[in-house]
């Protein structure tokens, strides 16, 4: 095993200029990340300089068997925390050989929204709070929970410490450091209300980069759970009953909101989000109705409510924002399994482009 570890940790730059690029894309379910690696002749820092690549879309439920070729377009580059050195992770989106985005390519439409002149002028910032649950591999039950049973009730686990309260911190901290190494703008982590559930935050990130960074952070986390022999779940309500669900609260601001007088801009933006509540809910993740019940720090899925400092609201405005008269707000509706390309671009489109 020591030889295997030595080989895995070989520093290629000692003997060759060649580097390994791990191409990452989103599979047919919209949540299954896929990746494969190729050798490059030397270091590359600009995604436009990377070659396009193809894969078998019939094996990812993204193309028929008789015409299965799907083309990967490199979009963003990150340092590879697993291979290290000059090796890279490449976030891609997927197209037909004719150059049309395939139906599951949500990045393409998001990039169009983020390139709109009105959106560019407003420089939308995002901070996404990604909650997730760590499961025992063979039984799909949260780590730290007794097999077939339940731990003590919620209360001591949120930001808790100790062997009977915090389960999986080695995975969480490994992920934190790996994201920082990769160049993901991860801004923090914490234990969540349900034991075995954690959260990391990505941001502030501008425009389309919020989606790129969150997907790569998810990829890194799933690779780490693979190494640790546990399973990563983004189910918005992994355990039924009196247990918190998992969301992806999305913090948002525009240049106008961050400027003097921004509180009025925030209120107008929230009003527009309320008018499109049903459309947003439909795009905010599968199974969200199991989470948005009006309990466990959520608003009911059929109700749109905004409040200051209220975690039972659809939209929460912070006390600091209210006091300063400018700042940001938090959309608490997105589920943990939401697509960040869809959610971030939809918020921008509704609050900046759409004229009711």
């Amino acid at each position: 095993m020591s030889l295997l570890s030595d080989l895995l940790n070989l520093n290629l730059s000692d003997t060759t200029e060649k580097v390994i690029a791990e191409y990452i894309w989103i599979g047919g379910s919209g949540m299954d990340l896929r990746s494969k690696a190729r050798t490059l002749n030397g270091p590359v820092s600009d995604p436009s300089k990377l070659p396009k690549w193809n894969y078998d879309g019939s094996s990812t439920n993204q193309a028929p068997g008789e015409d299965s070729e799907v083309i990967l377009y490199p979009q963003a580059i990150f340092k590879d925390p697993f291979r290290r050195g000059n090796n890279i992770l490449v976030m891609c989106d997927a197209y037909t050989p004719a150059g049309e985005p395939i139906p599951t390519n949500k990045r393409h439409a998001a990039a169009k929204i983020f390139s709109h002149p009105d959106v560019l002028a407003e420089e939308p910032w995002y901070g996404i709070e990604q909650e997730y649950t760590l499961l025992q591999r063979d039984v799909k039950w949260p780590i730290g929970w007794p097999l077939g049973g339940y731990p003590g009730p919620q209360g001591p686990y949120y930001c808790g410490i100790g062997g009977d309260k915090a389960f999986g911190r080695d995975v969480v901290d490994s992920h934190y450091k790996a994201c920082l190494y990769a160049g993901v703008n991860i801004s923090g982590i914490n234990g969540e209300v349900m034991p075995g559930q954690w959260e990391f935050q990505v941001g502030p990130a501008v425009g389309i980069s919020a989606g790129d960074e969150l997907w790569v952070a998810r990829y890194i986390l799933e690779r780490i759970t693979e190494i640790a022999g546990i399973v990563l779940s983004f189910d918005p309500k992994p355990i039924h009953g009196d247990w918190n669900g998992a969301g992806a609260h999305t913090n948002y601001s525009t240049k106008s909101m961050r400027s003097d007088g921004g509180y009025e801009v925030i209120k107008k933006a929230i009003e527009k989000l309320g008018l499109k509540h049903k459309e947003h809910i439909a795009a905010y993740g599968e199974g969200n109705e199991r989470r948005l019940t009006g309990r466990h720090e959520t608003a009911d899925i059929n109700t749109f409510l905004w409040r200051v400092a209220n975690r039972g609201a659809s939209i929460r405005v912070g006390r600091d924002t209210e006091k300063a008269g400018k700042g940001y707000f938090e959309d608490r509706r997105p589920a943990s399994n939401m697509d960040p390309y869809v959610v971030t671009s939809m918020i921008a489109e509704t609050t900046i482009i759409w004229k009711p």
Side-chain angles (χ1 to χ4, degrees):
M1 289 300 292
S2 60
L3 177 59
L4 183 61
S5 177
D6 289 344
L7 290 171
L8 282 170
N9 291 306
L10 277 176
N11 185 353
L12 298 180
S13 60
D14 289 342
T15 57
T16 180
E17 291 185 357
K18 293 184 177 181
V19 299
I20 301 170
E22 189 79 24
Y23 279 43
I24 304 165
W25 71 96
I26 302 159
S29 75
M31 274 303 293
D32 56 319
L33 283 162
R34 310 288 181 122
S35 75
K36 61 177 183 173
R38 67 182 297 162
T39 303
L40 305 176
N41 287 329
V44 178
S45 58
D46 181 353
S48 68
K49 302 292 176 62
L50 288 168
K52 295 172 184 175
W53 204 7
N54 66 73
Y55 68 91
D56 172 16
S58 69
S59 295
T60 62
N61 293 315
Q62 291 173 299
E66 64 273 13
D67 187 15
S68 65
E69 192 168 283
V70 180
I71 312 302
L72 293 172
Y73 287 31
Q75 299 291 357
I77 292 175
F78 298 83
K79 294 175 66 177
D80 187 338
F82 303 102
R83 296 186 176 106
R84 290 172 282 187
N86 291 321
N87 304 301
I88 55 176
L89 304 177
V90 184
M91 191 65 211
C92 305
D93 60 354
Y95 295 80
T96 68
E100 295 296 320
I102 64 172
T104 53
N105 178 354
K106 306 303 182 185
R107 190 188 191 280
H108 180 79
K112 281 188 174 181
I113 291 170
F114 285 121
S115 63
H116 190 285
D118 293 349
V119 177
L120 287 171
E122 283 290 354
E123 294 180 17
W125 291 3
Y126 298 91
I128 302 174
E129 306 170 29
Q130 176 69 71
E131 295 176 341
Y132 60 93
T133 309
L134 299 175
L135 305 177
Q136 302 169 56
R137 182 172 59 189
D138 296 329
V139 294
K140 301 300 194 302
W141 199 240
I143 63 171
W145 290 40
L147 288 180
Y150 296 86
Q154 296 182 152
Y157 310 109
Y158 172 69
C159 297
I161 60 169
D164 58 346
K165 305 179 193 71
F167 310 116
R169 192 183 296 276
D170 52 348
V171 168
V172 173
D173 275 351
S174 296
H175 175 246
Y176 197 174
K177 289 185 175 180
C179 283
L180 288 171
Y181 177 93
V184 172
N185 191 22
I186 186 170
S187 47
I189 56 97
N190 60 267
E192 268 304 329
V193 177
M194 189 183 85
Q197 194 176 83
W198 295 81
E199 173 185 301
F200 67 88
Q201 303 93 34
V202 168
V206 180
I208 197 72
S209 65
D212 290 337
E213 293 192 29
L214 190 73
W215 275 116
V216 169
R218 285 173 170 177
Y219 172 85
I220 292 171
L221 180 56
E222 192 147 20
R223 284 284 305 276
I224 291 171
T225 59
E226 173 190 322
I227 294 166
I230 58 177
V231 174
L232 172 63
S233 172
F234 289 115
D235 191 302
K237 186 71 174 179
I239 304 294
H240 298 291
D242 195 16
W243 304 97
N244 273 37
H249 304 153
T250 301
N251 299 275
Y252 171 71
S253 71
T254 63
K255 184 184 286 186
S256 297
M257 294 176 192
R258 298 187 295 268
S259 303
D260 290 342
Y263 196 49
E264 291 304 312
V265 181
I266 287 171
K267 289 193 285 187
K268 289 176 182 176
I270 293 173
E271 181 181 350
K272 292 169 80 174
L273 287 170
L275 294 173
K276 284 204 166 187
H277 177 63
K278 287 184 179 179
E279 293 92 331
H280 279 255
I281 286 294
Y284 274 17
E286 292 187 17
N288 214 7
E289 72 282 351
R290 293 183 283 117
R291 167 181 162 262
L292 297 180
T293 62
R295 300 183 62 213
H296 304 112
E297 301 182 76
T298 70
D300 182 84
I301 195 167
N302 297 310
T303 303
F304 183 83
L305 177 72
W306 81 271
R307 292 288 185 270
V308 175
N310 185 345
R311 284 178 164 76
S314 312
I315 305 288
R316 182 184 68 88
V317 175
R319 292 280 184 208
D320 288 347
T321 294
E322 181 187 43
K323 183 177 179 180
K326 58 184 176 181
Y328 70 97
F329 63 82
E330 175 191 41
D331 190 339
R332 297 180 59 80
R333 297 171 296 171
S336 50
N337 59 3
M338 64 82 155
D339 187 325
Y341 293 135
V342 173
V343 170
T344 57
S345 61
M346 196 172 194
I347 292 172
E349 184 176 38
T350 297
T351 60
I352 299 172
I353 301 173
W354 183 55
K355 309 299 181 187

